Each structure stands twice: as structure tokens, then as C-alpha cells.
Amino acid sequence: MTKQHNIEQFWSTVTHAKLAFHGNQLGYAFIIPNNAKAAVTIVNGRCESYLKYQELAYDFYSKGFAVFMCDHLGQGVSSRLLPVADKGYIHSFEDYIQGLSLFVEQVVKQNWQGKHYLLAHSMGAAISYLYLANHTHPFEKAVLSAPMFGIPTPGFPYPVAKLVVNILSLLGLNTHYFFGQSGYLEKPFQDNPLMQCETRYNAFRTLYKENPTLQLGGVTVGWLKQAFRAIDQIQSTSTELPLLLMQAERDTIVANRWQDKVVARNKTMQKKCYHGSLHEILFEQDAIRDLALNDIFQFFKTDLCE
């Protein structure tokens, strides 16, 4: 049997449900193998859905992990916040954090009482970092993949970009796309800044084509305003939890220099840079992805997983 066949069989046994949150719904999924040794909560990034993470969930499940996943408010299978569903928008990043906290309290902790780890990507890693630093939680360690600790502002110095966004917000344009942003666009593999594995990229795009409700476009003024606020909070926040930050060497989606600043400030955080990797390390070519997975399992203590 191929790995893809095994993933499809595995995915058919996953539990899918919805969680009420402030008048909206958060879509989530979980699966617990027999004789599970540990659990991992996977927190996805902007524009994503847990449905995109089937292979990664299978990889953890195969290692004896219970797997928990939840879509953020405003994307994936969770409730959208604007009439134009394509617009990337959030009232406050605190809504993301509270949504994660609710999922952990009402789903994760109700279904698992053993060793527990967290793995988060990009925007999800920014959300998770603030959650871990400021909330009581069950996690012993966390891995942050290409965390959104800073975002590039091409053509503008960072303070100027923040000023422009704040002015646009004061003008009442929070629900408008920011300059250059638009609805969902499907970029060809050759032009994509996310990953270099064509098979995984095509699978991701096919998933979104076959499930249009998963699609999300560019960011709004309001989302950017809240993102800048969250980044400022991250840059002044520390945590004592053991953390592994996985940095993509060729990342153009987030700003690596901001990650380095956070690593320097956290004594319990270590960094591993994946040479040649684009933003989505866990969807990269096998040479990069396999190395990253091995590092994650080592960090989460491989004696749990063998």
C-alpha cells in the first residue's frame, strides 16, 4: 500500500466536530490511537485548515501520538466573520488565543490526560506563543515552525507600515483589503513562495479547489493592525517552556530576523534553521521535511514514540 492510501484510511477514522465560540463555530478534529503514548495539538497558520494537515497527522499517529487539530476563527471550516468570506479578518488576535484556549480546555483536556506537546506553524505559532506565555496550559514542550514573529514590509520601514495601517483603520477601512491584497488566487507551483514539493503543493491546491469554503484570500487592514499588535506583544514576551523554533532559511512570508530576537530573549528556546527551505517546512521536499520531523520527534523525546 502507498502512504497516500494509508493516509486516506487513517483519515476516515478521524472525529470531526464543531465547538461554539462567541456566537461562532470552530471546526476541529482529533484521533487517539490504541495505547497512545503522548498527544500533540497541531495549530495551523493563516489561510489554512486542519484538512490540509492529513499527512502530518498521520505521521504523528503512526508514532503513537493522539492528534488534536482546530481551525482558527475566520478561516478553514470555522465561521467566517465578514460577508465576503475571502477576506482575511479578525477583530483581535486575542480572539485567536481565546479560541485555542477554549479548544484545549473543552476538547483536548477532556479527551487526553497524558503527556502533551504542541506543534504550531506561522500565524498559529504566533498565537501559540502568546497563549503559552500567558495562560495555564497542559503542554510540556512546543515546536514553532516558521513562526510569525515579524512580517516583511517591502517598500516601507516597519514603523511606517504600522503608521499607514493605523491611519487606514482610523478612516474606517478595517474590513477593506490592504493595498495589493485580493480574493483567493491559485498560484502555479513554479511561482509559489510556500514549498518546493510539487506533489504536496498540488494536493493542497486540489483540496482547496474541491472544497471552495476552505479558500481564503488576502489580509484586510483590520487583520494587519491586529497582527502588528500581536508582533509587538511577542517581542516583549518571554516564556520558560522548552521551545524549538524551526526557521526556514529562504522564508519570504515571515521575517526571520524577528525570530532571532525572540530566541535571544528566551533561555529555554532553541533554534534550528532548515537550509534551502521555503516557509512551509512541514510540506517541503522529503529531504527537508524528514529532517524536520526527526528533529520534532527527538525534541518531544523519541522514547515516547518508538
Side-chain angles (χ1 to χ4, degrees):
M1 282 185 212
T2 65
K3 183 180 182 182
Q4 183 56 39
H5 179 77
N6 291 337
I7 292 170
E8 290 171 1
Q9 283 194 323
F10 150 77
W11 196 250
S12 69
T13 65
V14 170
T15 297
H16 305 263
K18 295 287 181 74
L19 180 65
F21 176 64
H22 294 176
N24 293 293
Q25 290 189 318
L26 302 178
Y28 69 87
F30 70 91
I31 184 168
I32 303 173
N34 295 329
N35 302 315
K37 301 170 183 177
V40 62
T41 292
I42 298 173
V43 187
N44 57 45
R46 201 192 84 81
C47 287
E48 294 189 318
S49 168
Y50 70 75
L51 293 168
K52 180 183 171 185
Y53 281 72
Q54 295 175 36
E55 182 185 13
L56 185 63
Y58 170 79
D59 290 332
F60 272 95
Y61 180 85
S62 299
K63 287 286 191 179
F65 280 81
V67 181
F68 295 85
M69 301 173 285
C70 184
D71 281 354
H72 301 296
L73 186 63
Q75 66 180 50
V77 297
S78 295
S79 299
R80 301 297 171 100
L81 298 174
L82 298 177
V84 179
D86 258 17
K87 290 183 174 181
Y89 179 78
I90 196 70
H91 298 298
S92 168
F93 254 62
E94 186 62 28
D95 290 340
Y96 288 141
I97 297 166
Q98 292 297 330
L100 175 59
S101 178
L102 182 71
F103 174 63
V104 171
E105 292 298 318
Q106 294 197 8
V107 178
V108 177
K109 290 171 69 173
Q110 297 301 315
N111 289 282
W112 180 258
Q113 287 82 43
K115 287 185 174 293
H116 206 136
Y117 305 102
L118 183 144
L119 170 61
H121 171 65
S122 196
M123 183 186 80
I127 294 164
S128 296
Y129 181 76
L130 291 172
Y131 162 73
L132 294 168
N134 297 305
H135 291 74
T136 302
H137 60 80
F139 301 107
E140 298 187 22
K141 292 182 177 180
V143 173
L144 307 178
S145 169
M148 192 191 78
F149 288 172
I151 51 180
T153 56
F156 294 94
Y158 187 75
V160 174
K162 285 173 58 178
L163 178 61
V164 170
V165 167
N166 286 332
I167 291 172
L168 293 173
S169 176
L170 287 172
L171 293 174
L173 300 177
N174 280 319
T175 61
H176 290 239
Y177 283 120
F178 189 67
F179 304 128
Q181 302 290 299
S182 65
Y184 178 79
L185 294 174
E186 185 173 321
K187 291 185 177 180
F189 170 72
Q190 291 76 12
D191 299 330
N192 95 86
L194 301 176
M195 65 190 80
Q196 297 166 97
C197 177
E198 189 167 5
T199 300
R200 292 188 177 98
Y201 185 79
N202 289 338
F204 148 56
R205 288 302 184 188
T206 298
L207 174 68
Y208 279 45
K209 183 179 291 185
E210 293 177 349
N211 301 272
T213 56
L214 299 180
Q215 296 175 6
L216 187 67
V219 300
T220 56
V221 170
W223 184 91
L224 270 176
K225 179 180 180 179
Q226 296 305 320
F228 283 137
R229 284 184 174 179
I231 288 166
D232 287 346
Q233 292 172 12
I234 288 166
Q235 292 300 322
S236 61
T237 299
S238 298
T239 175
E240 296 182 357
L241 188 74
L243 297 170
L244 171 62
L245 188 151
M246 302 197 309
Q247 186 176 84
E249 181 191 29
R250 297 176 55 206
D251 207 327
T252 59
I253 304 299
V254 299
N256 286 350
R257 62 187 180 89
W258 294 82
Q259 296 171 4
D260 294 339
K261 291 180 180 180
V262 176
V263 172
R265 197 176 58 252
N266 282 270
K267 295 180 180 178
T268 58
M269 181 183 287
Q270 56 183 280
K271 185 187 87 170
K272 178 72 180 286
C273 183
Y274 294 86
H275 298 290
S277 181
L278 297 184
H279 181 60
E280 297 195 6
I281 300 168
L282 297 170
F283 290 84
E284 262 290 6
Q285 296 171 330
D286 285 348
I288 296 171
R289 185 179 187 272
D290 290 349
L291 178 60
L293 280 179
N294 183 64
D295 289 339
I296 292 169
F297 291 130
Q298 289 285 347
F299 185 67
F300 287 166
K301 295 294 185 184
T302 50
D303 59 339
L304 292 171
C305 314
E306 298 298 333

